Amino acid sequence: MASHRKSRTPGTRVAGIRTPALATAALTSVALLSQTATAAPTDDGKPSLEEVEKKVGDLYRQAESATEKYNAAKEQTAKQRKRVDTLLDDVAQRTQKLNDAREELGSYAAAQYRTGAGVPDTATFLLADTPQDVFDQRQVMDRMTGRQKEAVDDYVTQQSETMKKRQEATESLRTLTESQDDLKTAKATVQKKLTDARELMARLTAEEKARLAAIEKKKQEEAARQAAELARQQAEQQQAREEAARQDAGGSDGTGSSGTATSPSPSADSSYGTKAEKAIAFARAQIGKPYVWGATGPGSYDCSGLTQAAWKAAGVALPRTTYDQVNAGTTVPVSQAQPGDLVFFYDDVTHVGIYIGNGMMIHAPKPGTYVREESIFYDGESSVHSVVRPA
């Protein structure tokens, strides 16, 4: 897969992600692919089929990475636009108050003009451009009544606050422009990677495409085998927990013979189980809908859009991007994954699916595909980054 992915020593993943049995399965997968793929360069200088497969995979991975950056930029742009709108509304309201204060001062000036008292000073005051100019006219202030002074204070306050809010709005508009530029860049990157992948595939002959399909089939068969192995391990762990619970049931204090309380089953949290069922039911109902980058439903989804929508259906608000979703819960070993957990992929955490048990998940894989049920090892055991329990 992606050339930038860090290599790892089998059996040394954090949080218990990698197990010796699965590491062995991964090596078996590599051996099968090596036997099936055409590794040697062709005589005409064209890239080998294996190289094409890797390049296409890299391009789709890069497109998905750019999609998550697009999602983040889109979210930031929306937040910034909302802030700008709020500030502009505030500025408009403060400007109206400033105008009202100015009119009130004008009425005092008109009254002074009719009585012939202090016309020049008041006129000069009304032409002041800044709050400081107003304060500097002490002779005017000295001749004003208490109500007039209150009007001046109000005018000065409104002018100062309006100028401050206008500055904030200007800065927010600049930030909004930058966010919009980031959004355009991310969008262009996604489109370029997808175009490159399609063009690369278009150059393949029918025979080469058939061979690629055979490679993919072998890969998915191995992924299914790994999922079955994980399911077996999880079943054994569950059986051991149930056996421990039965032994503890004979004690009056809920502990084993050593007097130490046993760990509850991961499925003991009925509240989480209920929410997870709702999330999975929603995800399952989306199977067959197309992957569209940047989409959050209801007609199409990208990977994080699907998981966000699924957990929203269960009453849990997840962030928009994979980068944030991976931090929206508790990380658990893959061997202890429960239905409803989020499975993240790759070192840059750019893909996610929702675990449904038995080593399987529901996810929106990549452009050109549809939401589907698939082994969490669909891209090899090493691609699994972490498992997160979101609620």
Side-chain angles (χ1 to χ4, degrees), residues 164-234:
K164 181 180 178 181
K165 288 299 180 181
R166 283 175 179 169
Q167 181 62 32
E168 288 182 18
T170 299
E171 293 175 357
S172 292
L173 280 169
R174 182 169 59 251
T175 302
L176 175 59
T177 299
E178 293 173 354
S179 297
Q180 290 172 330
D181 289 342
D182 291 342
L183 188 62
K184 291 178 182 177
T185 299
K187 183 176 182 179
T189 301
V190 175
Q191 293 173 332
K192 178 65 166 59
K193 298 301 181 182
L194 295 180
T195 297
D196 290 346
R198 285 192 292 265
E199 290 179 350
L200 192 57
M201 289 297 294
R203 290 196 292 267
L204 296 178
T205 65
E207 180 184 355
E208 288 172 330
K209 290 179 180 179
R211 290 164 61 194
L212 270 182
I215 293 174
E216 180 63 21
K217 182 178 179 181
K218 286 286 186 181
K219 184 177 178 181
Q220 294 308 313
E221 288 174 352
E222 178 58 22
R225 194 192 70 77
Q226 288 178 295
E229 173 61 19
L230 175 60
R232 184 190 65 78
Q233 292 178 11
Q234 291 179 329

Side-chain angles (χ1 to χ4, degrees), residues 100-110 122 125-126 148 151-152 155:
D100 292 343
R102 183 181 290 113
E103 289 176 5
E104 185 172 7
L105 287 175
S107 67
Y108 288 130
T122 305
F125 170 77
L126 288 174
Q148 287 173 323
V152 171
Y155 176 82

Side-chain angles (χ1 to χ4, degrees), residues 35-356:
Q35 295 170 7
T36 309
T38 304
T42 58
D43 294 338
D44 58 5
K46 291 175 58 179
S48 68
L49 201 57
E50 185 181 52
E51 290 171 337
V52 171
E53 180 197 33
K54 181 180 184 302
K55 181 63 176 177
V56 170
D58 286 349
L59 287 169
Y60 277 126
R61 281 272 297 105
Q62 292 164 19
E64 194 164 36
S65 176
T67 294
E68 289 305 312
K69 292 177 181 178
Y70 169 86
N71 291 338
K74 185 177 181 181
E75 187 174 45
Q76 179 60 34
T77 299
K79 290 179 180 178
Q80 198 60 39
R81 182 176 290 111
K82 184 177 180 180
R83 172 171 171 74
V84 167
D85 290 343
T86 299
L87 284 170
L88 290 178
D89 288 343
D90 194 4
V91 167
Q93 293 173 8
R94 291 184 183 279
T95 299
Q96 182 59 50
K97 291 181 180 179
L98 181 62
N99 291 336
D100 292 343
R102 183 181 290 113
E103 289 176 5
E104 185 172 7
L105 287 175
S107 67
Y108 288 130
Q112 288 178 329
Y113 179 79
R114 287 193 297 271
T115 61
V119 175
D121 287 336
T122 305
T124 302
F125 170 77
L126 288 174
L127 293 175
D129 293 327
T130 68
Q132 187 62 47
D133 293 336
V134 176
F135 284 119
D136 288 342
Q137 299 179 59
R138 302 296 182 185
Q139 67 277 22
V140 177
M141 297 291 288
D142 291 341
R143 293 205 299 272
M144 288 183 175
T145 65
R147 182 65 192 92
Q148 287 173 323
K149 288 181 179 180
E150 289 179 5
V152 171
D153 289 342
D154 185 48
Y155 176 82
V156 171
T157 300
Q158 294 299 336
Q159 187 180 50
S160 177
E161 292 181 354
T162 300
M163 291 174 64
K164 181 180 178 181
K165 288 299 180 181
R166 283 175 179 169
Q167 181 62 32
E168 288 182 18
T170 299
E171 293 175 357
S172 292
L173 280 169
R174 182 169 59 251
T175 302
L176 175 59
T177 299
E178 293 173 354
S179 297
Q180 290 172 330
D181 289 342
D182 291 342
L183 188 62
K184 291 178 182 177
T185 299
K187 183 176 182 179
T189 301
V190 175
Q191 293 173 332
K192 178 65 166 59
K193 298 301 181 182
L194 295 180
T195 297
D196 290 346
R198 285 192 292 265
E199 290 179 350
L200 192 57
M201 289 297 294
R203 290 196 292 267
L204 296 178
T205 65
E207 180 184 355
E208 288 172 330
K209 290 179 180 179
R211 290 164 61 194
L212 270 182
I215 293 174
E216 180 63 21
K217 182 178 179 181
K218 286 286 186 181
K219 184 177 178 181
Q220 294 308 313
E221 288 174 352
E222 178 58 22
R225 194 192 70 77
Q226 288 178 295
E229 173 61 19
L230 175 60
R232 184 190 65 78
Q233 292 178 11
Q234 291 179 329
E236 289 179 351
Q237 291 174 4
Q238 180 63 24
Q239 184 176 5
R241 285 191 293 267
E242 292 174 353
E243 179 62 28
R246 283 193 293 270
Q247 293 178 0
D248 290 342
S252 59
D253 58 357
T255 62
S257 58
S258 63
T260 303
T262 58
S263 300
S265 164
S267 60
D269 186 351
S270 59
S271 174
Y272 178 79
T274 300
K275 294 176 182 177
E277 287 177 3
K278 292 179 180 178
I280 292 173
F282 180 92
R284 200 178 298 280
Q286 312 314 306
I287 290 177
K289 293 183 178 180
Y291 176 106
V292 174
W293 64 272
T296 56
S300 58
Y301 298 88
D302 63 16
C303 66
S304 56
L306 175 64
T307 51
Q308 183 189 48
W311 271 101
K312 181 179 180 180
V316 177
L318 291 181
R320 174 64 182 93
T321 69
T322 55
Y323 310 129
D324 292 326
Q325 288 183 11
V326 74
N327 296 315
T330 304
T331 301
V332 298
V334 70
S335 61
Q336 295 180 18
Q338 295 182 45
D341 290 351
L342 303 178
V343 186
F344 294 90
F345 297 86
Y346 312 118
D347 290 339
D348 54 358
V349 198
T350 52
H351 188 66
V352 62
I354 184 168
Y355 191 67
I356 59 174

